[in-house]
Amino acid sequence: KSWSPELNKDKAGTYKLTATYKQKSAPLDITYIDTQEVLVSISIKPMKTAYVVGDSVKVEDIEIDAVYSTGKVVNLKGNAEGVTITSEDGDTMSEIDLSEVGEKVFTITYGGKTAELRLTVTEAPAQKALAFLYLDPNTISLNYTQGDVVDFSKAKFTAVYNDGTSKDVALGQNGVTASQFSTDRAGEFVVTFSYTEDGVTVSYKITLTVSEPSGIAVTLFERPQTYAQFLERQAEPAEETREDRVTYLKAMGTYKVGNENAFVFTPDVKAIDLSAGAGAGTQTVTLNAAKTTFKLSMKGTDDNFAEVEDSQYLMTAEEVKAARKENGVTEDTYTKPDSYYFFKEEAVGHVFKLEISLDKSYRTNGELAPITAEFEVVSGYNVYDQTGLSVLDNLNVKHWADIKNAAGALAWDLKPLKDYNSLAKNEVTKQIIFHNNINIDPDALPDYYFWEEGRKVMVDGKESDQGYATAYTDLANDSTTSKKNYHTKLNGSLRDYVSQGTWHNFNSPEEGDQKEDYNALRVNMQKAIYNIAGTSIEGNGMSLTYTTEGKNHRLYSVHDTEFETEASTGNSNVNPTGHWSIFKYVDEAVVKAQEAYPNADFDVDVTISNLTIQGNMPRLAQTDGEPPQLMGVNSAVDSVTFENCIVSRLYVVAVGDHGDQRSDVNSVDTKAFDVFSNMFYLWRSDLNVTNSILQEAGGPIAILCDGSEKGRSDDKEGPHMYIDDVSVIESFAAGTEPWYMLNSANALFTMVKGNIGRTTRDGLGREIVEKTSGVELVNVMAIIICEPGDLTGNFQPQDMLSITGGIYRGEKEKYEMNNTLADQRANAALNGMQDTPGLRASNAVLFQSGDLIAWTDLTNVTGLTPESAFQQSGEKLYGTWYSSREPSDLLFLSMRSCDVGNPLSVTSPRFGVLVGGVTKVAPPAQG
């Protein structure tokens, strides 16, 4: 055997050998390796190489593979010991600089080996933003005739972005807005359509041509329908008309016109079209903005009218344009319509006659006489639709900025809506003037008023759902089925939630709202669509109605006491959630407590006059699900007066809610009927009824509450109800009506029809119960109750306040609470009522079936349960039922209440019930 060449095992390398044996040979490769590892090379692992200016690359995110002679591979980070990164200029990099556009080459060195890193840096693409607005020209008309109605609703708009994408946007709320334009004059007009998103506004301008009408002959020139409606009021309605629910309004005084914006007085003008030749006269056209001229006269001290220079009391077109510009309404194309009259401050307090004539340029079919209107100019704001009502909302005017156009102004405004009412500057609209029959449509209200799943806003720099998740969780905590149902109810309902023990009307102050806060344990937590500070309402014979549900929104809240559970508040006496009102007159003290309005100053006595208010929740409404419990007015000012009004089909007509102050409600020449709950719920306040008809309430006509704050033992001013001799107050009920059943208040009827009714008939000779078609009815006119908190199991002796309320009819009839035990009650032991768990508060707390029972005031009979007390007989049982000394159809029951089964006690809270329709029967056998 032999090897060739010779092997050297001490030297690393590969040897090519040949083995030979017996003249035969074969190749063989043998390699000797060095037993010490040697770094052979380094390489950069694959990574992102394309960046934009401003991006960052951390050196520790660069990964390097180091390959050794032994075949081992080690992974290293860019910030590992021994690794250096240098730029093209030879500078050592502690971080990768991507601040400039271009190709960046970096050298990475480790263990004497190098690798090259190449990165490309480009300009950052522009952030997606609105670029322009496009209008499909085929979807809108560019040519009009004077008087045409302009309808842009079918116009199609497209918002285009800088990245080339686009989306369709619609005209209207939260979409495209249009600058003001009317066809009252001929000429060319530029209309600007605008769309705003994320603070960026884009616009599209078009030129519209308005031509004068030709080939027509005007045949009718009359007062607008709403003013004609005012003139149709009867001076003093006949008796049968007075009973007519629809036409009860009597004639008002002079028509009212406000001076803060335009009085719009557009005549009804009709014409026949003669342009088509013979026979075309049968085609009638309406001119919605015919050209007119006018004369202005003012009533003097002698009650005669004398023509005045109109520029002395009316703003000229140039003055209007200048005023609009001064108040931020900047479009240059605005032209004051002939039918818009802007009165100056000098006109306030004067009565004017406006005589309007058709412009002489029109061809007429016969002689057309001028039309006239007489009115008084007052300090106030004229409204013609629901949007105009927004100026009433002193606390939440910011909601309305985007309703009409980007400037936030109505077509006849001089300034943006948000500038009309400024409590911070002590500026409050004194009076609102209706010039149309107005409908409150929930879908036309701002979206912020309603719950909507998934709506996000920025609150304190963080994204928030504005309490939706909390509301949903609190409402839907029973089962999967309940969660699904509550989820459906919550979306679209009025927004109302509790946070940290405080109820909020609205909860987005970051969006410009001013929230109205109340302590969560106050029983009256009333919310309103319009929060008003000291603004009276003049209806001018118009009507205000509302629909409960729209396509997307509903005018009711699904919230209940789930928001205040014993677990969250530690209080087993959980007050009910307040209802929503159309209007809430805001407490001046509450407003001043808000930092934004420390100097607020406004009237505390307001009037709602010459207005019909109608809802859609009648007395016998179905109560399945969530009833739309929208009230008329919640008053937290000194007094609110309904004068010459018709009110029907609301949940409650008015609530007087002013804490420990009085918030009186006055009903003058007013008719209220068909109300689901009680008509008036007054909290330590007076109800004054003059020449009014109050009929058909779902509960007692009035509930009068003592309403004293806890700890006050000096309450000498209880609630009172004053009724004149001619007013009609009548609400016969069986006790099975929906409201009574919902509040378990049918127990009252059980007592009055049963023991009390029989005792009254047999002992006093007076029948309380009336039978109609075999059904027993009772006319429960009014209730006087103590503070609901006094009927709980958690009160203290000092909370047992005296009840000093009374009800009075005319000058002779007086029905008052028996106050002889006031001092005893304030200091007495609570006997069996201390910490009684069964009692709870509600709007009908005194009639809770199964919890409470009421009985007559058996002062001399103690130690008996109510059940046994009703079995007693004798004069003692009758002596404390009050009525006037003269014959009357009213009976006043002074009653007490406590837990069923507890003994009678002189310390038990007292309440009074006024029953009407009492009929005298045969005298009792004795006495």
Side-chain angles (χ1 to χ4, degrees):
K1 290 189 295 198
S2 64
W3 298 95
S4 176
E6 290 295 326
L7 294 176
N8 184 357
K9 61 183 181 180
D10 295 325
K11 185 178 180 179
T14 299
Y15 295 87
K16 294 184 177 294
L17 306 179
T18 301
T20 303
Y21 176 70
K22 293 184 178 181
Q23 305 300 318
K24 302 294 182 181
S25 62
L28 176 66
D29 291 348
I30 294 179
T31 301
Y32 285 98
I33 62 174
D34 195 334
T35 57
Q36 182 179 359
E37 290 183 338
V38 177
L39 179 63
V40 177
S41 64
I42 63 171
S43 62
I44 301 172
K45 298 190 73 170
M47 61 178 289
K48 178 182 176 182
T49 58
Y51 296 89
V52 297
V53 173
D55 282 349
S56 62
V57 177
K58 297 179 181 179
V59 293
E60 57 265 30
D61 292 337
I62 300 174
E63 297 187 36
I64 305 164
D65 282 342
V67 182
Y68 289 86
S69 58
T70 59
K72 181 175 68 174
V73 178
V74 177
N75 181 254
L76 300 172
K77 300 290 186 180
N79 61 342
E81 184 178 355
V83 177
T84 59
I85 302 176
T86 56
S87 66
E88 293 175 281
D89 298 330
D91 298 327
T92 301
M93 310 294 295
S94 58
E95 59 183 32
I96 303 300
D97 181 12
L98 301 179
S99 59
E100 296 180 356
V101 174
E103 186 177 53
K104 305 295 181 180
V105 180
F106 302 92
T107 301
I108 299 177
T109 303
Y110 178 71
K113 305 298 182 180
T114 61
E116 189 177 78
L117 173 64
R118 289 181 176 270
L119 303 180
T120 303
V121 182
T122 59
E123 290 284 358
Q127 185 177 0
K128 182 178 179 179
L130 281 175
F132 59 90
L133 181 70
Y134 173 74
L135 166 67
D136 184 344
N138 297 319
T139 62
I140 195 170
S141 174
L142 302 179
N143 299 294
Y144 298 89
T145 300
Q146 183 184 352
D148 281 352
V149 175
V150 178
D151 182 11
F152 293 149
S153 62
K154 295 183 179 180
K156 293 183 179 180
F157 299 90
T158 302
V160 182
Y161 299 86
N162 57 5
D163 63 355
T165 61
S166 64
K167 72 174 181 180
D168 294 334
V169 289
L171 184 73
Q173 189 175 4
N174 299 323
V176 178
T177 59
S179 62
Q180 298 163 7
F181 167 71
S182 70
T183 60
D184 66 306
R185 292 182 180 274
E188 290 188 347
F189 301 92
V190 176
V191 174
T192 302
F193 298 95
S194 301
Y195 177 69
T196 301
E197 185 176 304
D198 295 331
V200 177
T201 300
V202 290
S203 300
Y204 190 96
K205 294 184 178 182
I206 59 173
T207 300
L208 304 180
T209 301
V210 179
S211 304
E212 290 193 5
S214 59
I216 64 170
V218 177
T219 59
L220 180 144
F221 184 68
E222 293 183 346
R223 297 181 177 95
Q225 183 177 1
T226 51
Y227 188 72
Q229 176 180 322
F230 163 80
L231 295 177
E232 292 172 359
R233 298 292 107 196
Q234 297 181 3
E236 288 295 336
E239 188 66 25
E240 62 270 16
T241 305
R242 186 175 188 271
E243 291 296 326
D244 188 336
R245 295 172 173 178
V246 179
T247 60
Y248 174 40
L249 286 183
K250 66 179 183 180
M252 292 76 74
T254 308
Y255 196 85
K256 299 285 183 65
V257 172
N259 72 314
E260 292 190 10
N261 62 334
F263 167 44
V264 180
F265 194 78
T266 305
D268 288 340
V269 183
K270 295 188 182 301
I272 55 175
D273 188 353
L274 304 177
S275 60
T282 57
Q283 182 178 352
T284 300
V285 295
T286 299
L287 299 182
N288 295 301
K291 289 193 291 185
T292 58
T293 60
F294 72 92
K295 291 193 303 183
L296 187 69
S297 302
M298 189 175 75
K299 181 181 284 189
T301 56
D302 59 356
D303 288 339
N304 293 318
F305 286 94
E307 187 173 353
V308 294
E309 183 65 38
D310 55 82
S311 61
Q312 183 178 354
Y313 299 101
L314 285 170
M315 299 176 68
T316 65
E318 288 303 314
E319 287 175 327
V320 172
K321 192 170 184 178
R324 290 167 58 84
K325 186 175 182 180
E326 182 180 346
N327 287 283
V329 185
T330 57
E331 70 269 21
D332 296 328
T333 58
Y334 175 79
T335 303
K336 186 186 82 65
D338 287 345
S339 56
Y340 288 9
Y341 301 88
F342 293 88
F343 284 92
K344 297 179 179 180
E345 192 69 26
E346 291 81 357
V348 173
H350 295 288
V351 176
F352 294 89
K353 179 187 291 184
L354 190 64
E355 183 178 293
I356 304 176
S357 300
L358 186 68
D359 190 85
K360 295 182 182 297
S361 62
Y362 287 97
R363 179 179 178 181
T364 61
N365 185 10
E367 188 69 24
L368 296 177
I371 61 176
T372 61
E374 294 182 13
F375 48 82
E376 177 187 1
V377 177
V378 299
S379 177
Y381 185 94
N382 304 297
V383 298
Y384 308 87
D385 54 27
Q386 171 175 292
T387 307
L389 279 177
S390 62
V391 297
L392 285 171
D393 195 356
N394 303 86
L395 300 187
N396 298 288
V397 290
K398 299 289 186 181
H399 282 322
W400 301 92
D402 62 344
I403 283 190
K404 279 290 184 180
N405 55 43
L410 295 172
W412 42 82
D413 271 350
L414 288 175
K415 55 188 176 182
L417 292 174
K418 61 183 178 61
D419 292 340
Y420 275 100
N421 284 337
S422 175
L423 295 181
K425 299 178 182 178
N426 290 334
E427 295 177 359
V428 176
T429 300
K430 300 298 182 184
Q431 197 164 11
I432 204 80
I433 316 295
F434 279 58
H435 297 290
N436 207 345
N437 298 314
I438 296 176
N439 180 65
I440 297 179
D441 179 1
D443 282 341
L445 290 169
D447 288 337
Y448 312 113
Y449 281 25
F450 303 91
W451 291 114
E452 180 182 327
E453 183 180 11
R455 180 190 293 136
K456 301 290 186 180
V457 297
M458 297 304 294
V459 178
D460 294 333
K462 298 180 180 179
E463 197 174 59
S464 168
D465 66 357
Q466 298 189 70
Y468 182 94
T470 302
Y472 173 75
T473 301
D474 286 347
L475 285 171
N477 56 6
D478 296 330
S479 66
T480 302
T481 302
S482 294
K483 286 185 178 182
K484 181 178 180 180
N485 292 340
Y486 276 122
H487 179 274
T488 302
K489 293 178 180 179
L490 191 62
N491 281 318
S493 67
L494 284 167
R495 195 173 76 209
D496 181 17
Y497 85 120
V498 68
S499 174
Q500 298 180 347
T502 301
W503 289 84
H504 303 277
N505 269 18
F506 306 105
N507 57 330
S508 54
E510 293 76 12
E511 296 177 327
D513 303 352
Q514 294 297 329
K515 63 186 179 182
E516 182 181 0
D517 297 346
Y518 289 98
N519 185 301
L521 295 182
R522 272 185 58 177
V523 69
N524 289 312
M525 295 168 290
Q526 312 297 350
K527 309 296 182 289
I529 297 174
Y530 303 104
N531 286 278
I532 312 168
T535 302
S536 293
I537 299 172
E538 174 60 54
N540 272 342
M542 303 300 131
S543 64
L544 175 67
T545 61
Y546 72 84
T547 55
T548 300
E549 296 195 17
K551 181 179 180 181
N552 301 310
H553 298 149
R554 305 187 296 274
L555 291 183
Y556 63 85
S557 172
V558 300
H559 300 236
D560 206 334
T561 55
E562 289 88 345
F563 283 125
E564 282 190 284
T565 62
E566 184 172 1
S568 64
T569 65
N571 188 343
S572 60
N573 175 27
V574 178
N575 287 314
T577 300
H579 305 300
W580 281 78
S581 301
I582 300 175
F583 301 117
K584 176 180 176 65
Y585 282 101
V586 183
D587 187 338
E588 188 173 23
V590 171
V591 172
K592 286 187 175 182
Q594 300 183 40
E595 293 182 3
Y597 307 133
N599 301 314
D601 183 20
F602 48 85
D603 293 338
V604 290
D605 297 288
V606 294
T607 302
I608 301 175
S609 304
N610 310 317
L611 181 68
T612 296
I613 304 176
Q614 179 173 302
N616 64 349
M617 191 176 187
R619 173 175 177 248
L620 300 179
Q622 293 295 319
T623 57
D624 299 335
E626 297 290 341
Q629 299 179 1
L630 196 64
M631 303 187 301
V633 175
N634 172 236
S635 173
V637 292
D638 285 356
S639 72
V640 59
T641 298
F642 291 89
E643 182 179 10
N644 197 30
C645 292
I646 301 176
V647 188
S648 65
R649 299 168 68 90
L650 299 176
Y651 188 79
V652 175
V653 173
V655 168
D657 173 19
H658 199 349
D660 62 347
Q661 304 297 318
R662 306 185 71 83
S663 185
D664 297 337
V665 176
N666 308 308
S667 174
V668 181
D669 298 334
T670 287
K671 182 174 182 65
F673 62 93
D674 202 13
V675 173
F676 183 84
S677 179
N678 23 83
M679 291 185 177
F680 302 101
Y681 191 99
L682 302 186
W683 201 256
R684 194 174 173 267
S685 304
D686 290 346
L687 172 62
N688 302 289
V689 182
T690 304
N691 193 36
S692 296
I693 299 176
L694 312 177
Q695 293 177 309
E696 297 182 7
I701 293 288
I703 291 185
L704 311 173
C705 302
D706 182 52
S708 304
E709 298 296 328
K710 286 189 178 296
R712 287 176 56 96
S713 59
D714 59 345
D715 178 26
K716 307 301 182 185
E717 295 276 346
H720 304 87
M721 181 176 180
Y722 298 91
I723 315 164
D724 68 355
D725 290 321
V726 298
S727 293
V728 176
I729 299 183
E730 184 178 87
S731 185
F732 283 95
T736 56
E737 290 77 11
W739 182 85
Y740 285 107
M741 299 302 293
L742 281 173
N743 291 282
S744 301
N746 51 323
L748 172 68
F749 286 85
T750 301
M751 291 182 290
V752 172
K753 292 178 183 179
N755 292 309
I756 294 177
R758 287 192 297 271
T759 303
T760 305
R761 181 182 62 249
D762 299 338
L764 299 183
R766 314 177 83 182
E767 181 63 73
I768 298 177
V769 180
E770 176 182 288
K771 278 192 175 182
T772 301
S773 300
V775 179
E776 291 185 328
L777 305 174
V778 180
N779 183 16
V780 180
M781 298 168 53
I783 303 290
I784 302 178
I785 67 174
C786 60
E787 183 182 7
D790 291 346
L791 297 178
T792 71
N794 299 310
F795 58 75
Q796 300 299 316
Q798 65 267 22
D799 295 325
M800 293 298 297
L801 304 173
S802 62
I803 304 299
T804 57
I807 302 175
Y808 310 88
R809 185 169 70 168
E811 297 181 357
K812 297 180 180 179
E813 294 185 63
K814 178 171 66 173
Y815 307 90
E816 293 181 321
M817 300 298 291
N818 183 344
N819 198 36
T820 59
L821 300 176
D823 294 335
Q824 297 179 44
R825 184 158 56 254
N827 299 290
L830 300 180
N831 295 334
M833 294 195 68
Q834 182 71 43
D835 297 325
T836 304
L839 300 175
R840 65 174 184 260
S842 79
N843 284 347
V845 65
L846 298 162
F847 322 127
Q848 288 287 337
S849 177
D851 290 334
L852 297 173
I853 190 165
W855 65 91
T856 54
D857 185 5
L858 303 177
T859 304
N860 297 318
V861 182
T862 59
L864 298 176
T865 64
E867 292 87 342
S868 60
F870 279 129
Q871 299 172 5
Q872 301 296 307
S873 61
E875 295 182 4
K876 292 181 292 186
L877 193 61
Y878 318 134
T880 55
W881 294 358
Y882 300 99
S883 65
S884 67
R885 293 180 179 275
E886 298 180 5
S888 173
D889 60 354
L890 306 181
L891 181 67
F892 187 70
L893 309 179
S894 177
M895 311 176 76
R896 295 190 183 283
S897 64
C898 80
D899 251 4
V900 175
N902 275 351
L904 294 176
S905 169
V906 295
T907 62
S908 300
R910 178 196 302 274
F911 68 98
V913 181
L914 182 66
V915 180
V918 177
T919 304
K920 190 174 183 180
V921 296
Q926 298 177 357

